[in-house]
Amino acid sequence: MKKITTLLFLFAAVVFANAQSAKTSEQKVNNQQVAGPEEDNVPGKLPFTVDKKGVVTDTLFGEAIGKLKVYKKSVHASYYADKFNGKRTASGLKFSNRDYTAAHKKIPFGTKLKITNEANGKSVFVEVIDRGPFVRSREIDLTKRAFMEIASNKGAGSIIVTIEEVIK
């Protein structure tokens, strides 16, 4: 009998704790203490803008960092699988599918690229931190977040993109 009473007590405590955490989460949302849009708080996001002359500006510091130069047009881009999260990249950095990074076979690590989906014109800035993709027909691997931001069909595994390099 003691075992059943103890189990019921533990079950009630767990249910009560979950209810309290749900209330706390609702209060934070109602008081707007939670973070703003997800894209504003993304670690590793490269906050750049490009003006009409093609000058790339860092929006955090307001300084021009370079110009865009087309590297390749009409190439296939794919994205990393989730199984690589937390693993080390070829550059030694830890990989996260939440960042805005990429893998390329030849472009030096640390190079910033603008990747534009040719089907819908959406683009994203990424930084090269890894080597790959290891499929002959593909030119670049993007993180899942960067890929989904520019993909028109979220179920697609690859898209046709233009790769532009930020030249200092």
Side-chain angles (χ1 to χ4, degrees):
M1 187 70 176
K2 277 188 171 181
K3 287 183 181 179
I4 293 174
T5 308
T6 306
L7 287 174
L8 286 173
F9 177 74
L10 287 174
F11 177 74
V14 169
V15 169
F16 179 75
N18 283 339
Q20 290 300 319
S21 67
K23 281 184 183 178
T24 306
S25 297
E26 286 175 18
Q27 287 172 352
K28 286 182 182 176
V29 170
N30 291 338
N31 294 336
Q32 297 179 354
Q33 293 174 353
V34 294
E38 207 175 355
E39 46 204 349
D40 291 343
N41 301 322
V42 176
K45 182 167 184 176
L46 302 175
F48 299 128
T49 57
V50 181
D51 64 10
K52 292 179 182 177
K53 295 179 183 177
V55 176
V56 180
T57 305
D58 184 343
T59 56
L60 290 177
F61 300 108
E63 59 187 41
I65 60 167
K67 288 194 166 206
L68 291 175
K69 177 184 172 192
V70 175
Y71 180 77
K72 279 193 179 176
K73 287 187 175 189
S74 300
V75 294
H76 286 267
S78 56
Y79 64 92
Y80 280 89
D82 288 329
K83 69 180 182 180
F84 294 108
N85 275 329
K87 300 206 173 166
R88 294 275 173 209
T89 62
S91 66
L93 298 172
K94 196 178 258 190
F95 175 76
S96 171
N97 252 334
R98 297 194 72 227
D99 293 343
Y100 286 81
T101 58
H104 194 273
K105 297 170 191 162
K106 297 178 183 175
I107 296 176
F109 297 138
T111 304
K112 291 161 185 58
L113 303 172
K114 180 182 177 189
I115 311 297
T116 305
N117 184 344
E118 293 184 0
N120 61 15
K122 291 183 180 180
S123 62
V124 66
F125 283 91
V126 296
E127 183 175 356
V128 177
I129 64 163
D130 202 4
R131 291 289 170 233
F134 300 109
V135 176
R136 181 170 272 200
S137 63
R138 299 211 179 112
E139 184 72 24
I140 192 164
D141 266 343
L142 303 172
T143 57
K144 199 170 197 176
R145 170 166 263 151
F147 184 89
M148 293 303 170
E149 192 169 302
I150 64 173
S152 46
N153 177 5
K154 304 299 183 202
S158 69
I159 54 177
I160 305 294
V161 298
T162 297
I163 301 173
E164 295 174 279
E165 188 176 354
V166 178
I167 306 292
K168 294 182 181 190

